[in-house]
Amino acid sequence: MLENWVVMPTCLPLVRRRCHACTSQRFRTSGKFRVNANHKLIDAWLLALCTACGETAKLAVLERMNVHSVRPELLDRMHDNDPGLAAELLQDPVVRRRSRIALDWDNAWRLDTGGSDHLDREVIDVSVRFAARIPVRPVRLIAEGCGLSRAEVERLIMEGKLVSTVRLSGKLSGDFTFTLKR
């Protein structure tokens, strides 16, 4: 029987970027937007606050775009400070590149295994799905989901008792499957 695990965000990730006012490298997004129109051109930013000093950073979402080329629902969501839109935009590689930021997902996600009935079985097949592009080490997910230490998971990989079609070392942010034989 195939087990389905889901890696789910629990909150917005921290934004990694140098603060201009202090030495901090972390900003917290609240999901608030600032929209500024100048005649027919519009700019929009996602606001982030420095975790150390509270300085505000503006993450560019729209820059000097014609107002008529922006979808009205997008503008409505920005005016409503939609936290779902903030999460979507933080995942957008164009926004991250434009604002020169990286995301810090530490303590911003959880693993939903659907229960612990799989822990006593000899062989388990698991499909891991990511609800958002959260970079996590598969070894950490497997250890947490199966109640093992990371060293035990590494040993199972070396012994060929834990197999997958993807490389289990490094970080992944996309769906994968694995089989564990105890």
Side-chain angles (χ1 to χ4, degrees):
M1 183 171 106
L2 184 68
E3 297 282 329
N4 292 306
W5 294 0
V6 181
V7 178
M8 302 175 59
T10 56
C11 60
L12 292 174
L14 291 177
V15 172
R16 292 174 60 192
R17 170 184 172 167
R18 192 173 64 76
C19 179
H20 296 293
C22 70
T23 60
S24 176
Q25 298 264 338
R26 305 247 190 286
F27 285 81
R28 182 172 313 286
T29 56
S30 61
K32 298 214 182 299
F33 292 88
R34 175 154 185 245
V35 179
N36 185 31
N38 185 1
H39 300 289
K40 293 183 182 179
L41 300 179
I42 191 166
D43 294 301
W45 301 275
L46 175 61
L47 302 178
L49 298 175
C50 177
T51 57
C53 71
E55 181 74 16
T56 301
K58 298 188 294 187
L59 311 177
V61 175
L62 302 173
E63 289 181 317
R64 313 305 284 161
M65 291 196 58
N66 189 305
V67 173
H68 299 295
S69 66
V70 179
R71 294 186 331 270
E73 1 12 291
L74 177 63
L75 280 175
D76 289 343
R77 289 178 75 188
M78 281 192 257
H79 286 299
D80 294 340
N81 291 317
D82 182 353
L85 177 60
E88 289 172 30
L89 291 171
L90 285 173
Q91 294 285 311
D92 187 347
V94 174
V95 171
R96 290 201 318 253
R97 190 172 33 255
R98 185 183 302 144
S99 297
R100 294 186 292 284
I101 62 169
L103 300 180
D104 182 353
W105 283 99
D106 287 349
N107 303 316
W109 61 272
R110 69 179 174 85
L111 177 63
D112 181 10
T113 61
S116 61
D117 60 332
H118 63 277
L119 294 178
D120 57 348
R121 294 206 306 259
E122 281 297 311
V123 177
I124 59 170
D125 292 313
V126 178
S127 171
V128 180
R129 189 176 61 79
F130 286 78
R133 294 192 56 76
I134 303 169
V136 182
R137 295 185 188 285
V139 169
R140 179 177 178 189
L141 291 177
I142 295 166
E144 186 175 318
C146 294
L148 303 169
S149 70
R150 290 187 202 172
E152 287 177 279
V153 172
E154 296 282 357
R155 184 182 52 78
L156 290 168
I157 291 171
M158 295 299 287
E159 293 174 357
K161 293 181 178 181
L162 178 58
V163 293
S164 178
T165 57
V166 299
R167 212 180 71 207
L168 295 175
S169 60
K171 290 187 177 185
L172 287 176
S173 57
D175 302 351
F176 70 97
T177 60
F178 70 89
T179 301
L180 173 64
K181 301 172 191 152
R182 296 185 196 235

